[in-house]
Amino acid sequence: MAVENHELPEVRLRLSTLLNYISMVYRFLTSIAFTLIVIRRLEIDEYGIFVLGLSLLTSVSTVYNLWIPWGIRRYILKIQESLTGTLILNLAYGLLSIAIYLLAVLYYSTVLGEKSLQLLIFLIIVASNPIVLLAQSSVALINPQLFAVVKIVFETLRIMLAYIFVVVLNHGLVGAVLALAVSTIVSFLYGFLTLARKGYIRFKLANIRREISFQLRAAATNIFQVSGMILENLDRAIVTVLAALASVAAYMGIAYIPRSVIASGFGTITLSLYSKMLREPNRGYLVESLRLYFLFTGILLSLLLSLSKPIISFFNPSYIDAWLPLAIVSLEIFILGFARVFNLASAGTSREDLEARSVRDIINTPIGRISIYEFARAAIGLGVGTSMYVVARGIFGDLDPWMVALIYSLSWLFASIIYSIQALRLASRYLRPEIPVRELVSFIAASSATVLAVYFTGGADIVVESFWIDSPKLAVYLAMGGVVYIAVFLTLSPWARDLSRRALNLLIEAVRSRKIGRE
């Protein structure tokens, strides 16, 4: 089953993580610009339809995660026909997903009226998913360094097209979705074709029936995790039906902004860590990844906590009441990211799934257990949040949209805390993990110093009423908070100082070599 001459590019943990963090910073800036354009240009109900469309899109797209992770994992482990099997399964489900999405749009047209028909524009992305999602996952795990470049291409295209379609051409919701669709298709196909041109992508038909059969059996172990991912994205869709208002989805959408911001931070770590552990399991990689997580992702958490009100008013002052849900979601997604670092280290270390002969065998592996944990977290978060909303509505009547967002943010925080406990237990079984205490203390001290510095200098109460007048004030406090965090962290962490020196030396060497090349 294994093939010869199936060489893959080397994964350098620090390099790939740092490159992905550079792209993360760039993504952070462009995501702010994209979200700013969309939220400020779209009416509240129109933005609510946009958020609802993303929720439905993510739900139907998540099903691909039943088999794609297995296909890419097996390909990295030198089972070459796995990519072909994954592609065939993608194409088959792609047709079904289009039908499911159309039925969902038809249902929401009975709840929200004709305005919900704007959801049909998302079909462009739904139809392209079979190819695009395979390309995205392949690039992410086969070459994390290239994935950083691809994400920069994606973000650049997205913001350029959003400005053209939404601002210049004034296409509103349709323009925002077109910008997202075109940038996604072009950027990830570029990355996939780059790997193919270098010989890292090969499709093989031998043993294809056996491979498809295996991926379908293995997909059963991902049912819990994928179901959890679907449930996690259905809260906006469900509460929109219960409230019969698109504005509720709009407030929840803006409160959930930290999910994409902080998730991009731990996503850069988990991709590099998992890819590295698959090739060479080593507990030291987990410790290194946690240090990077505390250093870089901690900055984002500190700024989002200390400047939640000015940040949310920066996007649109109409949503300022949602500042507390945004702060809670920031903390929740940071805890979740911390737990997922441990989970992917456990999954990358284990090889039990390669010897599995049944679904029960796979469920007993770390990958199977993680799937169950993901489902439990989503079921708790969605179940508790929806129950709390129904009870509160029964007692107090119709709730303000920001209060609905607050209820769900608290329920997700509760669920993620439980999830993190299970992740640590799983990692202790397979890795005997070590938490870098010095960097943990540095993170806590740096975060506390940042929050206090912003609070006592008045930055926490800024409201960005006028974009051009008030935004520079917010920028000053963002810069100040970042400087305080980095200064405190570097002061307390010898590892961070060593990393800074190494990064500076690499930069100097790169500049020198470029000068020599020109001469």
Side-chain angles (χ1 to χ4, degrees):
M1 185 176 295
V3 299
E4 297 179 356
N5 300 322
H6 181 67
E7 298 300 327
L8 296 175
E10 178 187 359
V11 175
R12 298 170 60 186
L13 184 60
R14 282 191 177 183
L15 176 61
S16 59
T17 300
L18 290 174
L19 284 175
N20 274 284
Y21 261 109
I22 293 173
S23 72
M24 182 207 70
V25 173
Y26 184 72
R27 178 185 177 183
F28 177 72
L29 297 175
T30 55
S31 293
I32 288 176
F34 178 79
T35 307
L36 181 66
I37 290 173
V38 173
I39 294 179
R40 287 202 173 238
R41 286 283 176 166
L42 271 59
E43 298 294 332
I44 291 180
D45 280 349
E46 193 177 17
Y47 179 63
I49 295 294
F50 180 75
V51 172
L52 176 60
L54 289 178
S55 176
L56 295 175
L57 170 67
T58 305
S59 296
V60 298
S61 303
T62 300
V63 177
Y64 290 96
N65 286 301
L66 285 171
W67 54 82
I68 285 183
W70 286 106
I72 305 303
R73 173 185 173 89
R74 287 166 66 80
Y75 186 76
I76 291 177
L77 296 175
K78 302 187 177 182
I79 301 173
Q80 196 170 2
E81 61 268 21
S82 62
L83 277 188
T84 308
T86 301
L87 177 60
I88 292 173
L89 291 173
N90 278 11
L91 294 173
Y93 172 71
L95 296 175
L96 179 61
S97 68
I98 293 175
I100 294 173
Y101 187 84
L102 285 173
L103 289 175
V105 173
L106 180 62
Y107 173 75
Y108 276 94
S109 67
T110 65
V111 177
L112 301 176
E114 293 183 358
K115 60 185 177 182
S116 63
L117 294 179
Q118 296 177 89
L119 293 168
L120 290 172
I121 189 65
F122 283 93
L123 277 173
I124 298 174
I125 305 177
V126 175
S128 64
N129 271 341
I131 305 298
V132 171
L133 293 180
L134 176 63
Q136 178 180 354
S137 299
S138 300
V139 176
L141 280 180
I142 293 175
N143 193 337
Q145 295 94 307
L146 174 62
F147 189 62
V149 177
V150 169
K151 286 194 293 185
I152 290 176
V153 173
F154 164 74
E155 295 296 341
T156 302
L157 283 175
R158 186 175 67 156
I159 190 61
M160 290 174 57
L161 294 175
Y163 183 80
I164 293 172
F165 291 148
V166 180
V167 178
V168 177
L169 300 179
N170 197 28
H171 285 332
L173 173 62
V174 174
V177 178
L178 283 176
L180 182 61
V182 174
S183 58
T184 300
I185 295 170
V186 171
S187 59
F188 288 112
L189 286 184
Y190 154 73
F192 192 72
L193 293 175
T194 299
L195 289 180
R197 190 170 60 250
K198 294 181 178 181
Y200 296 134
I201 298 295
R202 300 178 183 89
F203 291 97
K204 183 180 178 182
L205 292 175
N207 303 315
I208 190 60
R209 289 186 179 180
R210 182 170 60 181
E211 179 60 28
I212 292 176
S213 176
F214 175 86
Q215 290 192 30
L216 287 175
R217 293 197 310 273
T221 65
N222 283 353
I223 287 178
F224 286 109
Q225 182 174 10
V226 170
S227 298
M229 295 167 69
I230 293 174
L231 291 177
E232 183 175 3
N233 285 284
L234 281 180
D235 55 355
R236 283 138 290 176
I238 291 174
V239 80
T240 299
V241 173
L242 294 176
L245 293 172
S247 59
V248 174
Y251 272 80
M252 292 180 70
I254 197 168
Y256 286 1
I257 286 176
R259 283 188 172 182
S260 59
V261 174
I262 295 182
S264 64
F266 70 72
T268 59
I269 291 177
T270 54
L271 281 175
S272 301
L273 174 63
Y274 185 52
S275 185
K276 187 71 174 178
M277 295 288 270
L278 282 175
R279 291 162 169 82
E280 184 186 352
N282 189 321
R283 186 174 57 178
Y285 298 143
L286 172 60
V287 175
E288 185 78 1
S289 296
L290 289 174
R291 286 169 171 162
L292 291 167
Y293 188 79
F294 290 140
L295 174 58
F296 292 107
T297 311
I299 297 177
L300 298 178
L301 175 65
S302 301
L303 294 177
L304 286 166
L305 288 178
S306 58
L307 294 167
S308 56
K309 183 179 291 186
I311 286 175
I312 209 165
S313 67
F314 169 78
F315 292 109
N316 193 326
S318 302
Y319 297 93
I320 195 168
D321 289 337
W323 69 270
L324 182 56
L326 183 140
I328 295 173
V329 171
S330 300
L331 179 60
E332 180 264 329
I333 201 66
F334 181 86
I335 293 173
L336 177 63
F338 177 75
R340 283 179 173 166
V341 170
F342 283 94
N343 275 344
L344 285 182
S346 300
T349 300
S350 173
R351 298 292 184 269
E352 295 176 7
D353 56 283
L354 296 179
E355 304 298 329
R357 293 294 180 267
S358 67
V359 173
R360 178 179 296 181
D361 290 340
I362 299 177
I363 288 178
N364 288 326
T365 68
I367 294 177
R369 292 180 181 275
I370 290 169
S371 297
I372 296 175
Y373 298 160
E374 292 284 354
F375 176 78
R377 170 186 168 270
I380 293 172
L382 181 63
V384 172
T386 303
S387 300
M388 290 173 61
Y389 168 71
V390 172
V391 171
R393 187 180 180 185
I395 297 174
F396 302 106
D398 291 337
L399 302 177
D400 289 337
W402 74 267
M403 294 183 66
V404 179
L406 176 63
I407 288 173
Y408 276 93
S409 64
L410 288 171
S411 69
W412 286 116
L413 176 61
F414 172 69
S416 291
I417 291 174
I418 296 176
Y419 175 89
S420 64
I421 295 173
Q422 296 301 321
L424 289 172
R425 288 180 177 176
L426 181 66
S428 64
R429 176 179 176 182
Y430 288 91
L431 287 170
R432 299 194 308 277
E434 296 178 7
I435 296 178
V437 177
R438 180 67 68 89
E439 281 66 45
L440 176 60
V441 172
S442 301
F443 155 69
I444 295 174
S447 299
S448 301
T450 301
V451 172
L452 290 175
V454 170
Y455 178 79
F456 284 110
T457 55
D461 295 323
I462 293 176
V463 177
V464 183
E465 295 284 356
S466 171
F467 178 79
W468 297 110
I469 295 176
D470 298 322
S471 292
K473 300 177 184 177
L474 174 59
V476 169
Y477 281 100
L478 285 170
M480 181 193 73
V483 169
V484 169
Y485 185 93
I486 293 174
V488 174
F489 202 104
L490 290 176
T491 300
L492 298 177
S493 171
W495 168 86
R497 294 194 296 272
D498 179 67
L499 180 65
S500 301
R501 284 193 296 267
R502 289 174 179 268
L504 182 61
N505 290 335
L506 286 174
L507 179 62
I508 293 174
E509 290 177 5
V511 173
R512 288 177 178 174
S513 61
R514 179 169 294 184
K515 287 183 178 180
I516 293 174
R518 290 178 179 177
E519 295 175 355

